[in-house]
Amino acid sequence: MLWLDLALISIVFLGIVILGNNRLRTTIQLFALQSFILSLVPLMVHPGVHAMILSVGTFILKVVIMPTLFFWAIRHVSIRREAQPLISYGKTLLLGGFLIGVAFLISSRLDLPDKGISNLLVPCAFSVIMIGFLLLVSRFKAITQIIGYLVMENGIFLFAQLLLEKTPLLVEMGILLDIFVGVLVMGIVVNHISQEFDSASTVNLINLRG
């Protein structure tokens, strides 16, 4: 359980670092590192063929394919940093710390069956979900918002480890495929925003007309 606890703590820590970072390239790299650690969690929780396939699928999709698409996107739209976030970075970090405390408080009140998994799994999962949501609503750049959405999904993935043995593999891979398709669609939106307004800020969406 020691390695699992270290992995969970690292995933939450990387989420906090993502909140305080304004360089898109570094944010993508941090997300890829967080996803890499995440891809190892199923093997730590329930070693086996099922977990191996899920880990490999997660690694290929979130550590290789998605960061590659993001790097292509920031080169294509010529943006390097999140210059004007909705909430300042200092306040975002303070709010992130508060939400982590809320996540641990909520998880302590849940009556979940003890399956011998780390006690940090649920609070860390809730923490990552809240960090991803905060990143999603506090940034203007579409790419950063997409990463926030994916960080939220990483938290949901963590929580799903409680049901890994009972969840059909096809369902899990289908969810990953849906996420991949969603990111592709968002990438198309980013591209069109950039072409129309020479900016990747979603604030420009209010200027669109049918």
Side-chain angles (χ1 to χ4, degrees):
M1 291 299 174
L2 175 60
W3 288 107
L4 178 57
D5 288 345
L6 289 176
L8 295 172
I9 293 171
S10 298
I11 290 171
V12 175
F13 175 75
L14 288 170
I16 290 293
V17 177
I18 290 174
L19 278 179
N21 181 70
N22 69 339
R23 296 185 62 85
L24 291 178
R25 178 172 291 274
T26 304
T27 299
I28 296 169
Q29 292 171 339
L30 290 169
F31 165 74
L33 179 57
Q34 184 190 61
S35 298
F36 170 71
I37 299 174
L38 184 77
S39 69
L40 302 176
V41 171
L43 295 174
M44 300 178 186
V45 175
H46 297 291
V49 177
H50 185 171
M52 176 65 73
I53 296 174
L54 187 59
S55 294
V56 171
T58 302
F59 177 85
I60 294 174
L61 187 59
K62 291 188 174 182
V63 182
V64 179
I65 297 179
M66 287 184 181
T68 300
L69 292 175
F70 287 140
F71 284 130
W72 174 86
I74 63 174
R75 288 196 301 268
H76 186 69
V77 300
S78 300
I79 55 175
R80 295 292 179 268
R81 63 179 66 239
E82 180 83 40
Q84 296 178 332
L86 181 62
I87 305 174
S88 68
Y89 292 102
K91 292 180 180 178
T92 302
L93 287 173
L94 289 176
L95 187 54
F98 171 76
L99 290 176
I100 290 175
V102 171
F104 273 78
L105 178 62
I106 293 174
S107 61
S108 67
R109 297 178 180 273
L110 294 178
D111 186 17
L112 297 173
D114 183 9
K115 297 183 178 180
I117 304 175
S118 171
N119 292 328
L120 292 177
L121 181 60
V122 174
C124 285
F126 285 167
S127 297
V128 176
I129 292 173
M130 292 183 177
I131 288 171
F133 179 76
L134 179 59
L135 185 65
L136 178 63
V137 301
S138 65
R139 301 294 186 265
F140 285 130
K141 298 297 184 184
I143 293 177
T144 314
Q145 292 177 342
I146 296 171
I147 294 176
Y149 164 76
L150 292 173
V151 170
M152 281 184 63
E153 198 281 327
N154 281 351
I156 296 172
F157 182 94
L158 273 181
F159 188 79
Q161 300 311 302
L162 291 172
L163 304 173
L164 182 61
E165 293 178 327
K166 296 183 178 180
T167 306
L169 182 60
L170 288 178
V171 174
E172 294 170 347
M173 299 308 293
I175 293 172
L176 289 176
L177 180 60
D178 288 342
I179 295 167
F180 177 60
V181 173
V183 170
L184 284 180
V185 172
M186 291 183 213
I188 294 172
V189 172
V190 172
N191 184 46
H192 282 288
I193 293 174
S194 177
Q195 288 179 348
E196 291 292 332
F197 303 103
D198 294 324
S199 170
S201 175
T202 52
V203 174
N204 293 317
L205 289 175
I206 64 175
N207 298 319
L208 294 177
R209 293 293 185 271

